[in-house]
């Protein structure tokens, strides 16, 4: 057998960029992340519903403290909950009058061994919703953070 080496018979190989080689993996990863976030959110909702009242209250209070930290109001070392609430109420940046109610309930729960009622949980959840909206309005990076916090 003879190999033809005539330049007219050899077809040049064209290297074309095919968008599918990039688009398919990117869409796969994006789809996986969306499914992961949704399933994680559903799992936490289910777990939250099964918690006892005091567990729910502690969980939502910790989330509220994280949100306040993202707004620039971390709980300082050695600061009591009363001092923290006063600092929040004196804030000129935001109006925390309704959003800080959970801190007085938390203080009573920690120091007075108070039983947590459904009303207390609703108060903490209301504060959480308001603080989440407030963080969402402040900065894009915190909006992204909210997706992964839930």
């Amino acid at each position: 057998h003879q190999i033809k080496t005539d330049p007219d018979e050899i077809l040049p190989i064209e290297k074309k960029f095919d968008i599918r080689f990039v688009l398919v993996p990117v869409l796969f990863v994006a789809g996986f992340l969306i499914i992961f976030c949704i399933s994680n959110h559903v799992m936490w909702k289910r777990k939250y519903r099964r918690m006892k009242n005091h567990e729910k209250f502690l969980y939502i209070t910790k989330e509220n403290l994280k949100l306040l930290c993202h707004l620039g109001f971390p709980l300082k070392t050695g600061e009591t909950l009363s001092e923290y609430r006063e600092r929040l109420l004196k804030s000129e940046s935001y109006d925390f009058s309704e959003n800080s109610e959970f801190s007085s309930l938390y203080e009573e729960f920690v120091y007075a061994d108070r039983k947590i009622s459904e009303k207390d949980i609703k108060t903490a959840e209301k504060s959480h919703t308001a603080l989440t909206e407030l963080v969402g309005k402040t900065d894009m990076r915190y909006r992204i953070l909210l997706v992964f916090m839930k």
Side-chain angles (χ1 to χ4, degrees), residues 2-12:
Q2 239 182 2
I3 300 176
K4 296 181 183 179
T5 57
D6 185 16
D8 293 333
E9 292 181 12
I10 299 175
L11 296 173

Side-chain angles (χ1 to χ4, degrees), residues 4 7 14 24 31-32 46 48 61 63-64 78 103 114-115 118 137 146:
K4 296 181 183 179
E14 293 182 23
V24 170
F32 176 77
R46 187 176 296 152
Y48 181 76
T61 298
E63 292 298 312
N64 287 346
S103 61
R114 182 178 188 274
K115 298 289 182 193
E118 278 295 321
K137 291 177 185 176
L146 288 175

Side-chain angles (χ1 to χ4, degrees), residues 101-116:
E101 290 178 45
F102 76 93
S103 61
S104 60
L105 295 172
Y106 182 58
E107 186 175 28
E108 290 176 25
F109 174 73
V110 170
Y111 298 116
D113 198 29
R114 182 178 188 274
K115 298 289 182 193
I116 298 298

Side-chain angles (χ1 to χ4, degrees), residues 92-149:
E92 295 178 9
S93 306
Y94 306 102
D95 180 21
F96 289 119
S97 56
E98 291 183 18
N99 303 337
S100 63
E101 290 178 45
F102 76 93
S103 61
S104 60
L105 295 172
Y106 182 58
E107 186 175 28
E108 290 176 25
F109 174 73
V110 170
Y111 298 116
D113 198 29
R114 182 178 188 274
K115 298 289 182 193
I116 298 298
S117 67
E118 278 295 321
K119 183 180 176 188
D120 298 334
I121 292 171
K122 295 294 179 197
T123 301
E125 288 174 342
K126 181 180 165 190
S127 295
H128 182 72
T129 302
L131 289 170
T132 301
E133 289 174 5
L134 197 56
V135 169
K137 291 177 185 176
T138 58
D139 196 353
M140 183 61 169
R141 63 184 171 166
Y142 294 128
R143 289 182 197 168
I144 294 169
L145 179 68
L146 288 175
V147 170
F148 293 105
M149 279 182 64

Side-chain angles (χ1 to χ4, degrees), residues 69-109:
C69 187
H70 289 300
L71 288 169
F73 296 94
L75 184 62
K76 295 178 181 176
T77 306
E79 186 175 38
T80 66
L81 292 169
S82 296
E83 293 168 341
Y84 184 58
R85 186 174 49 259
E86 286 300 316
R87 186 163 54 94
L88 289 174
L89 293 174
K90 290 179 184 176
S91 166
E92 295 178 9
S93 306
Y94 306 102
D95 180 21
F96 289 119
S97 56
E98 291 183 18
N99 303 337
S100 63
E101 290 178 45
F102 76 93
S103 61
S104 60
L105 295 172
Y106 182 58
E107 186 175 28
E108 290 176 25
F109 174 73

